[in-house]
Amino acid sequence: MAKDTKERILDEALRQFSQKGFDGTNIRELTASLGLVKSSMYKHYKSKEEIWNSLLDRMIAYYNERFGSAENLPPVPDTLDELTAMTMRMVDITVHDERIVMTRKLLSIEQYRDERARQLATKHFLTGLTEMFTYIFDGMMKKGLLRNDDPQMLAFAYTAPISALIHLCDREPEKTADAISQIKAFSEHFVRVYGQENRSE
Amino acid sequence: MAKDTKERILDEALRQFSQKGFDGTNIRELTASLGLVKSSMYKHYKSKEEIWNSLLDRMIAYYNERFGSAENLPPVPDTLDELTAMTMRMVDITVHDERIVMTRKLLSIEQYRDERARQLATKHFLTGLTEMFTYIFDGMMKKGLLRNDDPQMLAFAYTAPISALIHLCDREPEKTADAISQIKAFSEHFVRVYGQENRSE
DNA sequence: TATTATAGCGAACGATAGGTCACTTGTCAA
DNA sequence: TTGACAAGTGACCTATCGTTCGCTATAATA
């Protein structure tokens, strides 16, 4: 029961920090959302700062678990259509999973105030996706699905526009459907430009 | 002299808001940076909130003045090299102009707290650059410098990765030189993929 | 059963925030 | 010369913040 409350505080902190920022969030409101009074929080964390640090610990651990090892890399697509399909599945998850959305918002808000948030922001917004698709595109080139080129450059050219539209969904959720179809259109455009017939045996 | 102080307050507000956010900035520190005491601020603005609104007014006015009209669109390049050169000039300005950097940081930080900041963020980070390069690429296609394609799609594919690297410079300034050379490499890659011989008379 | 640790509560504390006000100073127009 | 006004000052107000503390109820342990 204790562990439960401690986790629930982190969940609610993520929710409120991602909307109002660390400074804009106060303990009274945070605990009230959990049906507690503010002093009860101090049974679980010794300060507001410790909530922040624990939240960042959890975010970093989650990121490393999910994207850190080469084991849970997605399979290299066997067709160009499958590249788009896989991309759309990933986009759908990342845009609709509330916790992931809140995490991105939080990193946007706090990246200039906290060093660890800054580093995690770069991974989330730039290097993480690029690395993943560098691997994927390298594999697709070897399969003869993509024209031979620098896989890292292609990965960057592919993921950055998609990432920009994901950010748009975070910022203006009412444009989500539109942004998703733009991502699909972009992926298909990308495939037309860089894709080629499968020449592998 | 009065107008001067009023402007200086806005300048300092931009500086501090962009580092610590609206909530993390307090009037005492803000005015102390200008050699004033906090009560003096209220001779120029009736509240902290009014500073914020005035700052946003100024940012929006500046944006519209600079990017709002079709008149100050850049000239359409006559060669593919000139596209890259023009891009690098624009990047150089936007990455090194302190006020522009602070404006982007501020919009990143406050986009989820203020409706006008949210709208301006979308313009700064996405639609503004895309629209400008849609015009440029349309012109370059007509000149036969780029393969015929959807100019808006190409503009998006071109500007989103550049924008992502500009963000990286904001977030991790020590990587600026590296990011700029990445932008150059990307622009040259883009030109290789989409450019073609000039077939116009 | 007696003991002890845990989780929550409510009152209170000190610090600091934004904001007000009476006052002084300097400038400029009448 | 005088009056009015703009700009700046320092003391003070009130609200709210994060935090502490003593208390109670509960549930597990010995």
Side-chain angles (χ1 to χ4, degrees):
Chain A
M1 195 67 70
K3 273 279 169 62
D4 196 27
T5 297
K6 194 162 187 174
E7 278 293 307
R8 290 204 308 141
I9 290 175
L10 278 198
D11 292 343
E12 187 62 26
L14 173 58
R15 171 161 281 107
Q16 301 206 10
F17 288 171
S18 69
Q19 283 170 1
K20 305 179 285 185
F22 179 81
D23 287 320
T25 300
N26 69 71
I27 312 277
R28 213 191 81 247
E29 275 189 57
L30 200 161
T31 49
S33 302
L34 302 171
L36 297 175
V37 300
K38 60 177 177 172
S39 61
S40 303
M41 185 277 285
Y42 292 90
K43 295 292 175 183
H44 303 278
Y45 299 95
K46 72 165 189 266
S47 67
K48 185 185 180 185
E49 201 71 31
E50 202 191 57
I51 298 180
W52 168 257
N53 287 324
S54 299
L55 182 56
L56 255 173
D57 288 343
R58 197 177 71 168
M59 283 164 51
I60 292 171
Y62 180 77
Y63 184 90
N64 289 335
E65 179 194 331
R66 182 125 183 222
F67 303 105
S69 73
E71 287 141 24
N72 33 23
L73 277 169
V76 176
D78 284 314
T79 68
L80 295 171
D81 283 349
E82 175 55 22
L83 171 65
T84 298
M86 182 195 74
T87 301
M88 296 317 292
R89 284 196 300 274
M90 290 174 58
V91 166
D92 204 67
I93 291 170
T94 209
V95 160
H96 290 112
D97 184 308
E98 200 183 4
R99 164 143 343 172
I100 299 177
V101 171
M102 292 190 297
T103 300
R104 277 196 302 270
K105 288 187 181 183
L106 182 58
L107 292 176
S108 284
I109 290 178
E110 299 296 345
Q111 60 184 326
Y112 298 112
R113 220 186 43 82
D114 183 282
E115 177 57 27
R116 291 200 297 164
R118 179 195 317 257
Q119 292 173 13
L120 200 52
T122 295
K123 282 189 183 178
H124 262 79
F125 300 153
L126 192 66
T127 58
L129 270 180
T130 301
E131 282 171 17
M132 176 187 291
F133 276 87
T134 298
Y135 159 80
I136 291 172
F137 287 173
D138 189 59
M140 288 180 73
M141 285 176 197
K142 283 173 179 147
K143 287 185 182 179
L145 290 167
L146 289 181
R147 69 158 80 160
N148 263 329
D149 205 325
D150 176 9
Q152 189 174 341
M153 180 64 80
L154 258 59
F156 175 57
Y158 187 63
T159 56
I162 292 171
S163 191
L165 288 171
I166 291 171
H167 271 95
L168 177 63
C169 296
D170 295 341
R171 199 184 302 119
E172 312 190 33
E174 72 277 10
K175 296 185 180 169
T176 297
D178 195 50
I180 287 182
S181 67
Q182 272 187 261
I183 291 175
K184 188 145 187 282
F186 170 76
S187 179
E188 287 162 353
H189 168 88
F190 184 89
V191 157
R192 275 196 301 276
V193 171
Y194 292 98
Q196 60 185 15
E197 301 282 320
N198 189 338
R199 302 213 197 90
S200 71
E201 71 283 11
Chain B
M1 196 66 73
K3 273 276 168 60
D4 195 27
T5 297
K6 195 163 186 174
E7 277 294 305
R8 290 204 308 141
I9 290 175
L10 279 197
D11 292 343
E12 187 62 26
L14 173 59
R15 170 162 282 108
Q16 301 205 10
F17 287 170
S18 69
Q19 283 171 1
K20 304 179 286 184
F22 179 81
D23 287 319
T25 300
N26 69 72
I27 311 270
R28 214 190 81 246
E29 274 188 58
L30 200 161
T31 50
S33 303
L34 301 170
L36 296 175
V37 84
K38 67 170 177 176
S39 60
S40 305
M41 185 275 285
Y42 292 90
K43 296 293 176 183
H44 303 279
Y45 300 94
K46 73 165 189 268
S47 68
K48 186 185 179 186
E49 201 71 31
E50 201 190 58
I51 298 181
W52 169 256
N53 287 324
S54 300
L55 182 57
L56 255 174
D57 288 343
R58 195 176 74 169
M59 283 165 49
I60 291 172
Y62 180 77
Y63 184 89
N64 289 336
E65 180 193 331
R66 181 126 183 223
F67 302 105
S69 73
E71 287 140 23
N72 34 23
L73 278 169
V76 176
D78 284 314
T79 67
L80 294 170
D81 282 349
E82 175 55 22
L83 170 65
T84 298
M86 183 196 73
T87 301
M88 296 317 292
R89 284 196 301 275
M90 290 175 57
V91 166
D92 204 67
I93 292 171
T94 209
V95 160
H96 290 111
D97 183 308
E98 201 183 2
R99 167 148 335 177
I100 299 178
V101 171
M102 291 190 298
T103 300
R104 277 196 302 269
K105 288 186 182 182
L106 181 58
L107 292 177
S108 284
I109 291 176
E110 300 295 344
Q111 59 183 328
Y112 298 112
R113 220 186 41 85
D114 183 282
E115 177 57 28
R116 291 200 297 164
R118 180 196 314 256
Q119 291 172 14
L120 199 53
T122 295
K123 283 188 182 177
H124 262 78
F125 300 152
L126 192 65
T127 59
L129 270 181
T130 302
E131 282 171 16
M132 176 185 291
F133 277 86
T134 298
Y135 159 80
I136 291 172
F137 287 172
D138 189 58
M140 289 179 72
M141 286 176 197
K142 283 171 180 151
K143 287 185 183 179
L145 289 167
L146 289 182
R147 68 157 82 161
N148 264 329
D149 205 324
D150 175 10
Q152 189 173 342
M153 180 65 81
L154 257 60
F156 175 58
Y158 187 63
T159 56
I162 292 171
S163 192
L165 288 170
I166 291 171
H167 271 96
L168 177 64
C169 295
D170 295 341
R171 197 184 303 120
E172 311 189 35
E174 72 278 9
K175 296 185 181 168
T176 298
D178 195 50
I180 287 182
S181 67
Q182 270 187 262
I183 291 176
K184 187 146 187 285
F186 171 75
S187 179
E188 287 162 353
H189 168 88
F190 184 89
V191 157
R192 274 196 301 276
V193 171
Y194 292 99
Q196 59 185 15
E197 301 283 317
N198 188 337
R199 300 212 198 90
S200 71
E201 70 285 8

